[in-house]
Amino acid sequence: MNPLRWWNESYKNDLFSSRIDTTKALAQAITASPSPPHSWVLVSGVACYKPSLTAEYTEDSDWMPFDLLSKLVKEWEASALLPESVTKITKQVVIRPGAVLGRDGGAMKQMLLPFWLGLGGTLGSGRQPFPWIHVSDLAGIIAHALQPPAGTPSSSPQVFNGVSPTLNTNYEFTKELGRVLRRPTIFPVPGFVMNALLGSERAVILTQGQKVVPKRTLETGFQYKYPDLTSALQEIVAS
């Protein structure tokens, strides 16, 4: 999200190759291995789901690529697929996380300073859904997915939405972060400013969002440590 680095064709090629080529190489290594692992987990993203203020997406929702990032997710997940002969041994898992919240990196690292300074505010309309997950819970879902399969693995990947079970908007996230930090959040950033700073192709990551539900994740019995914004943000700010 560095505004100083534009998404030109060279960068877009890097965006794809850094993920797809690496994943393809790992999948080929698993295929060639005389003793392949019992689980193979890919962490992609919720960018495959089309932004909407009303639609809710579960792991069973159908989707088709509609922009650059959804095309990336489609090709990335396809590059991880193993031959059917290997899937009899190796369980395939895809985890699609939302914005990963943690003290030492990702979205929070860039947001904490302006919010501490009292310069935080909603992005765009603020009404857009904000799918998120605490980094500890994402690690927990990955560990949960790495458990050996109970029987013969499916030939298709198991998909888990790596998001909090609580549906929030950008406005709700902004106000809760301000409350936890005890700072005002009175400086909204209009959509046209985001487009000018980041380019429209990248700004949509922040100004649009999806209502993503971790239906299958919950069905596995996974227990979230930070299922709501208050507990997640309090842990981040206190750490």
Side-chain angles (χ1 to χ4, degrees):
M1 299 307 295
N2 184 353
L4 300 179
R5 185 165 190 186
W6 285 95
W7 280 20
N8 54 28
E9 288 306 312
S10 173
Y11 182 76
K12 290 176 187 177
N13 289 336
D14 288 346
L15 197 66
F16 275 67
S17 65
S18 63
R19 289 154 176 80
I20 293 168
D21 294 349
T22 304
T23 302
K24 194 175 293 184
L26 288 168
Q28 289 170 349
I30 291 171
T31 301
S33 173
S35 54
H38 58 66
S39 298
W40 163 223
V41 179
L42 174 71
V43 180
S44 57
V46 296
C48 56
Y49 305 124
K50 196 167 187 177
S52 170
L53 295 177
T54 55
E56 289 190 4
Y57 299 99
T58 71
E59 294 89 346
D60 297 318
S61 298
D62 293 326
W63 62 278
M64 292 290 290
F66 58 90
D67 66 359
L68 178 76
L69 292 177
S70 59
K71 183 172 181 281
L72 171 60
V73 173
K74 188 77 170 178
E75 294 185 22
W76 194 1
E77 293 184 0
S79 71
L81 294 174
L82 300 173
E84 190 172 343
S85 58
V86 182
T87 62
K88 294 176 182 177
I89 303 169
T90 302
K91 175 179 68 174
Q92 301 179 98
V93 178
V94 172
I95 299 172
R96 296 174 181 155
V100 181
L101 304 184
R103 177 79 183 192
D104 298 320
M108 289 303 300
K109 190 173 183 179
Q110 295 180 329
M111 285 188 286
L112 278 178
L113 179 59
F115 272 79
W116 267 116
L117 296 174
L119 301 176
T122 53
L123 302 177
S125 70
R127 295 171 56 233
Q128 68 272 27
F130 180 71
W132 63 274
I133 188 167
H134 190 285
V135 64
S136 294
D137 282 325
L138 178 58
I141 293 172
I142 294 171
H144 200 62
L146 283 170
Q147 297 299 316
T152 303
S154 168
S155 59
S156 300
Q158 293 181 330
V159 178
F160 298 101
N161 286 333
V163 295
S164 158
T166 308
L167 295 174
N168 294 110
T169 63
N170 174 261
Y171 175 86
E172 291 167 338
F173 168 79
T174 300
K175 293 305 175 184
E176 187 59 23
L177 181 55
R179 190 191 68 79
V180 169
L181 291 171
R182 298 180 182 177
R183 295 292 190 275
T185 52
I186 56 174
F187 293 98
V189 184
F192 72 87
V193 174
M194 298 296 296
N195 289 340
L197 284 174
L198 300 173
S200 58
E201 214 167 28
R202 184 166 39 162
V204 296
I205 300 172
L206 300 174
T207 59
Q208 298 182 25
Q210 314 90 334
K211 291 184 177 181
V212 184
V213 179
K215 179 175 177 287
R216 189 172 297 137
T217 306
L218 291 168
E219 287 173 350
T220 67
F222 178 74
Q223 297 290 317
Y224 286 82
K225 289 176 66 178
Y226 306 102
D228 56 79
L229 275 175
T230 301
S231 61
L233 294 176
Q234 284 178 342
E235 191 281 332
I236 291 167
V237 170
S239 61

